[in-house]
């Protein structure tokens, strides 16, 4: 990768890492399900008006929106609202990567290498350390909600692979049309029909601007700008060269939560978080197999964790890699997709 593109990849990681701080600020002004719904409404309105709909089966677009949008963002926002530290949430949500790999193996028949299994084992070990540490001093429910959010991200990843859209970024943007109604329904049932709307009205007052800034940031800076740059990089380089930069997301998330919110990791939580990041990084790329006698890269080199084999292009051009991760995607997500993350 060129120096400029490496800097762009780091910029995306910073944008996605700051998402978790923005979510924490937004939750001081709005209830969680309503905030996550508004996050997609801000995107959905201009998307419907100005972005052509991609060619992809509607059923996979709906599943993508429900998994990535409703389950991931709704449960992640709820977890942070219920006490999950935003910095630690940026680490735990990286479980979407091993979840994606395992679901790909179970549902799509994708092969799993020993290195990938080792990465999953490391990530699970790190999660166990974090869980034990939280059980000694805090409720486990926020951690479980965050893990379920990561699983929703993985379901969205699988749906996006099955969809095989003609334009990945448009597909990722049109996904935002699906979550608003389910999330608003959850908000009405669990938070009260008027609670979120009253909070939205109050945010236009003198003291409400931080909530509005946080809402706009999560929708535009994290999703549109971050995913747009990420998609461009995935078109230029192999996923294995780009995906490791998503591991900077939890580092930025933890650092900004420490600087801005005073969140501090305990010793064991820091160890567990480090092991999780290491596990995802180890499993995120397969080992390179060298080159074929003709000088072309051997198939499967540098693929992201759980990523399907890249289709062959008959015209000599590299095919579209599929939908890009969103913010909390660290890419998951991304990711590794998803790092489509908050």
């Amino acid at each position: 990768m060129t120096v400029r593109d490496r800097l762009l990849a780091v910029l995306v990681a910073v944008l996605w890492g700051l998402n978790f701080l923005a979510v924490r600020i937004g939750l001081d002004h709005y209830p969680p399900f309503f905030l996550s719904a508004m996050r997609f409404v801000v995107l959905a309105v201009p998307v419907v008006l100005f972005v052509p709909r991609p060619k992809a089966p509607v059923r996979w677009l709906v599943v993508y929106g429900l998994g990535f949008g409703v389950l991931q963002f709704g449960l992640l926002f709820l977890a942070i609202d219920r006490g999950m530290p935003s910095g630690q949430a940026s680490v735990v949500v990286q479980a979407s990567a091993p979840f994606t790999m395992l679901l790909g193996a179970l549902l799509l028949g994708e092969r799993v290498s020993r290195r990938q299994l080792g990465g999953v084992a490391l990530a699970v070990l790190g999660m166990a350390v974090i869980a034990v540490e939280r059980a000694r001093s805090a409720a486990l429910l926020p951690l479980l909600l965050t893990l379920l959010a990561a699983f929703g991200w993985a379901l969205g990843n699988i749906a996006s692979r099955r969809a095989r859209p003609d334009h990945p970024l448009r597909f990722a943007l049109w996904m935002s049309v699906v979550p608003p109604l389910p999330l608003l329904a959850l908000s009405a049932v669990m938070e009260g029909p008027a609670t979120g709307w009253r909070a939205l009205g109050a945010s236009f007052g003198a003291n409400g601007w931080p909530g509005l800034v946080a809402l706009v940031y999560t929708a535009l800076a994290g999703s549109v700008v971050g995913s747009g740059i990420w998609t461009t990089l995935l078109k230029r380089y192999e996923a294995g060269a780009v995906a490791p930069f998503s591991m900077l997301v939890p580092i930025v998330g933890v650092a900004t939560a420490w600087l801005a919110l005073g969140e501090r990791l305990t010793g064991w939580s820091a160890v567990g978080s480090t092991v999780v990041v290491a596990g995802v990084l180890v499993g995120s790329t397969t080992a390179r197999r060298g080159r074929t006698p003709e000088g072309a890269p051997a198939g499967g080199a540098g693929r992201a964790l759980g990523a399907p084999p890249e289709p062959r292009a008959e015209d000599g051009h590299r095919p579209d890699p599929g939908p890009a991760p969103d913010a909390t995607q660290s890419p998951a997500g991304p990711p590794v997709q998803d790092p489509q993350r908050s």
Side-chain angles (χ1 to χ4, degrees):
M1 295 177 68
T2 65
V3 173
R4 186 191 71 123
D5 286 345
R6 289 178 187 272
L7 291 176
L8 286 174
V10 171
L11 173 62
V12 174
V14 171
L15 291 175
W16 286 342
L18 289 174
N19 258 331
F20 293 89
L21 175 60
V23 170
R24 178 61 272 171
I25 294 173
L27 289 171
D28 291 335
H29 297 265
Y30 311 104
F33 286 123
F34 185 83
L35 175 60
S36 56
M38 288 299 102
R39 184 248 190 222
F40 286 105
V41 169
V42 170
L43 277 176
V45 173
V47 164
V48 171
L49 293 177
F50 302 111
V51 179
R53 195 167 76 84
K55 295 179 181 179
V58 174
R59 65 181 182 277
W60 293 120
L61 180 65
V62 172
V63 175
Y64 185 28
L66 292 176
F68 181 78
V70 178
L71 287 180
Q72 186 206 174
F73 282 90
L75 294 180
L76 180 62
F77 286 23
L78 180 62
I80 295 176
D81 185 65
R82 294 293 176 88
M84 187 70 181
S86 60
Q88 197 170 60
S90 69
V91 175
V92 175
V93 79
Q94 300 303 317
S96 61
F99 279 148
T100 299
M101 185 203 67
L102 294 176
L103 286 177
L106 291 173
L107 301 180
L108 305 181
E110 297 175 358
R111 290 178 294 179
V112 181
S113 69
R114 292 181 180 178
R115 178 171 177 171
Q116 289 173 320
L117 286 176
V120 170
L122 272 178
V124 170
L125 176 61
M127 297 292 177
V129 172
I130 293 173
V132 171
E133 177 65 15
R134 283 194 62 85
R136 300 165 72 182
S137 58
L140 276 177
L141 179 60
L143 175 62
L144 295 177
L145 289 172
T146 307
L147 286 172
L148 288 174
F151 184 76
W153 185 351
L155 287 176
N157 288 344
I158 297 300
S160 70
R161 291 179 185 178
R162 294 299 303 271
R164 299 187 179 278
D166 62 328
H167 197 293
L169 183 57
R170 289 180 187 172
F171 184 78
L173 290 173
W174 265 87
M175 177 277 301
S176 64
V177 176
V178 177
L181 288 180
L183 287 170
L184 286 174
L186 285 171
S187 176
V189 172
M190 301 186 67
E191 299 163 352
T195 303
W197 298 107
R198 284 197 298 265
L200 182 62
S203 65
F204 288 94
N207 298 321
W209 64 267
L212 286 177
V213 172
L215 173 58
V216 173
Y217 181 90
T218 60
L220 300 183
S223 296
V224 178
V225 177
S227 294
I229 296 174
W230 194 261
T231 301
T232 302
L233 294 176
L234 285 175
K235 287 181 178 179
R236 294 177 182 172
Y237 306 100
E238 289 183 347
V242 180
F245 283 93
S246 68
M247 289 299 95
L248 295 174
V249 173
I251 296 175
V252 175
V254 170
T256 54
W258 171 56
L259 292 172
L261 304 174
E263 291 182 3
R264 296 180 181 274
L265 292 177
T266 64
W268 282 110
S269 292
V271 170
S273 298
T274 302
V275 173
V276 170
V277 172
V280 175
L281 186 59
V282 167
S284 65
T285 56
T286 57
R288 291 187 175 275
R289 302 176 191 172
R291 294 183 174 271
T292 61
E294 292 77 10
R303 253 183 233 133
L305 181 151
E310 295 184 0
R312 297 182 181 275
E314 301 299 331
D315 58 0
H317 297 289
R318 187 179 175 187
D320 217 328
D326 190 350
T328 68
Q329 178 146 214
S330 104
V336 169
Q337 189 178 353
D338 328 342
Q340 241 158 35
R341 318 280 351 264
S342 299

